[in-house]
Amino acid sequence: LATLASETENIARTKIVELSKELSGEPGLFGSWLDLASYRKLVGDNIGAEEIWRFMTKQWPDNETSYINLGNFYHYQMRDFAQSEIAFRKVISMKATSIPAYIGLYELYSLSYTEKASLADDILLEGLKNNPKNILLLSTLAEYYTEQGNIASAKKYYQDALDVAMQSNDTKLQDQLKQRIANM
């Protein structure tokens, strides 16, 4: 775990005090709650950050941000993979177009949750079903298949990503995708 520079920690602790004071007078400020949770996490107050995100899911149950933060927090900080999966799945059930939720679950399955590693491509395919022209999902799936040695599938999804990039006139992205296909 990296140590926080004392100057950065002092700034963060000052912001915690300021935001707490602000929220005591105006508790309906979503962005301030989000900032407060981030500063608490930054200074190592994981319990405080989690409590705020959980509060936010109750206060703003239709907003995906708190659930995504919880999903990442449970995955990377707490290593509670089941809770991480629940948080990301909640987002998808609320908003099937949430790309960060699919990527979060993909990272969870492919990097950490070894019992469910076989679901890594399934979650990306589910994401593509709901977001068929998303370049991030397409290229992430292509990268996954490349790592798995499934070159035919990798080429297919890189080509699909390239087709979408061609429609957006993003020449830099097109060149990157062409290069990846050529290198296979």
Side-chain angles (χ1 to χ4, degrees):
L1 197 66
T3 347
L4 202 56
S6 63
E7 182 180 341
T8 303
E9 184 175 350
N10 290 338
I11 291 169
R13 290 195 182 281
T14 300
K15 292 299 283 179
I16 289 169
V17 170
E18 290 170 3
L19 288 163
S20 297
K21 187 175 182 179
E22 176 187 38
L23 288 165
S24 70
E26 285 188 69
L29 300 173
F30 180 87
S32 295
W33 282 111
L34 202 54
D35 290 345
L36 181 58
S38 296
Y39 283 117
R40 287 205 177 272
K41 181 175 167 256
L42 182 66
V43 300
D45 181 5
N46 287 335
I47 293 170
E50 179 186 17
E51 284 176 356
I52 292 168
W53 287 319
R54 287 190 161 285
F55 162 78
M56 292 177 73
T57 64
K58 289 171 181 49
Q59 194 71 18
W60 295 278
D62 297 333
N63 190 302
E64 68 187 281
T65 307
S66 304
Y67 292 101
I68 289 170
N69 283 330
L70 282 169
N72 286 321
F73 172 74
Y74 288 133
H75 178 190
Y76 293 108
Q77 275 73 44
M78 304 308 291
R79 312 282 299 162
D80 186 339
F81 306 141
Q83 283 296 107
S84 176
E85 182 179 42
I86 288 167
F88 286 127
R89 279 281 171 206
K90 175 67 175 169
V91 173
I92 292 169
S93 73
M94 292 185 325
K95 185 178 175 190
T97 57
S98 176
I99 304 308
Y102 293 108
I103 295 297
L105 271 174
Y106 164 74
E107 290 174 352
L108 176 68
Y109 296 145
S110 65
L111 300 174
S112 305
Y113 206 170
T114 52
E115 308 89 277
K116 295 195 174 188
S118 65
L119 299 176
D121 60 336
D122 294 342
I123 194 60
L124 293 173
L125 290 166
E126 180 183 331
L128 283 168
K129 187 175 140 201
N130 294 313
N131 307 275
K133 294 185 184 257
N134 185 275
I135 291 177
L136 180 58
L137 292 175
L138 289 165
S139 58
T140 302
L141 186 57
E143 288 170 22
Y144 172 78
Y145 283 137
T146 300
E147 291 168 9
Q148 299 301 309
N150 185 342
I151 303 306
S153 292
K155 280 185 179 179
K156 177 210 180 312
Y157 287 102
Y158 275 133
Q159 186 60 54
D160 290 351
L162 177 58
D163 293 345
V164 174
M166 302 280 267
Q167 295 169 6
S168 69
N169 295 322
D170 185 338
T171 54
K172 185 177 178 182
L173 180 58
Q174 290 171 27
D175 291 343
Q176 290 172 344
L177 291 166
K178 287 177 185 175
Q179 188 64 47
R180 290 189 182 173
I181 293 168
N183 289 341
M184 301 188 100

